[in-house]
Amino acid sequence: MDTTDRKLLMLLQQDSTKTTKELSLKLNLSVTAIYERVKKLEREGIIKKYVAILDQKKVEKTFVVFCHLKLIQHTKEYLTRFEQEVTKLEEVLECYHVSGDYDYILKIYVKDMEAYREFMVTKLTTLQHIGSTHSTFMISEVKNTNVIVL
């Protein structure tokens, strides 16, 4: 990956809807060269996918919860089972296996506190092997980006 690839990736992270022509003008390369570079980055798995970032307010998912979770045991079977089950929960946008006092941190988006309670009671706490949970609620978003600086 050279400097041009890095610049191209930065531009695509900021706005992946830019056309190859727009990108070629910014990088001073031909449309064909840009197209080939993008295809190469996709083939190599550097670009995994393209997504649309939604406005949380307009889709009524403004209640953000960070749920710290402990399993009752740390066996491979329990970890694997929990991970398979949690990935099916549509309210969970992110799940990280972490070190420290808790085993996992979940980032959950719901409409409001009532919706979160419903999620906890009917979905999350029904998963097997959960020992305890600790929820932290977002007050305000200070920084949220998907851009990895290269």
Side-chain angles (χ1 to χ4, degrees):
M1 194 166 45
D2 62 13
T3 305
T4 303
D5 284 339
R6 291 178 197 283
K7 289 178 183 175
L8 176 57
L9 288 168
M10 289 299 294
L11 291 170
L12 287 171
Q13 286 184 99
Q14 292 163 3
D15 183 358
S16 65
T17 64
K18 293 279 187 216
T19 65
T20 51
K21 183 175 182 173
E22 291 170 313
L23 293 167
S24 71
L25 293 171
K26 287 192 179 271
L27 296 173
N28 206 20
L29 291 172
S30 71
V31 171
T32 303
I34 293 296
Y35 177 82
E36 291 301 323
R37 282 178 181 267
V38 169
K39 289 301 170 196
K40 181 187 84 156
L41 293 166
E42 291 171 349
R43 271 193 315 277
E44 292 174 355
I46 294 168
I47 297 174
K48 290 172 38 174
K49 63 182 174 179
Y50 300 92
V51 298
I53 298 172
L54 307 181
D55 183 319
Q56 292 168 238
K57 290 177 185 169
K58 292 183 180 178
V59 296
E60 296 185 331
K61 300 290 183 179
T62 57
F63 197 74
V64 180
V65 183
F66 296 94
C67 181
H68 298 73
L69 194 138
K70 283 186 191 179
L71 299 182
I72 55 175
Q73 287 185 11
H74 299 102
T75 65
K76 183 177 180 181
E77 175 194 339
Y78 283 20
L79 295 172
T80 303
R81 178 71 183 257
F82 171 77
E83 289 175 6
Q84 288 172 345
E85 291 176 354
V86 78
T87 58
K88 295 174 186 171
L89 300 175
E90 64 186 28
E91 295 88 350
V92 177
L93 271 67
E94 299 174 34
C95 175
Y96 301 98
H97 188 187
V98 297
S99 64
D101 292 336
Y102 293 93
D103 300 315
Y104 290 91
I105 299 175
L106 312 180
K107 187 175 184 184
I108 300 163
Y109 283 68
V110 290
K111 182 178 180 177
D112 52 25
M113 179 62 87
E114 186 178 324
Y116 182 61
R117 182 184 185 287
E118 181 70 16
F119 167 75
M120 287 292 289
V121 170
T122 64
K123 293 184 180 181
L124 190 61
T125 57
T126 64
L127 300 184
Q128 295 182 5
H129 316 306
I130 293 178
S132 66
T133 63
H134 175 86
S135 299
T136 305
F137 307 103
M138 180 183 79
I139 295 171
S140 69
E141 188 173 271
V142 177
K143 181 178 181 180
N144 182 350
T145 182
N146 292 319
V147 175
I148 298 172
V149 178
L150 304 172

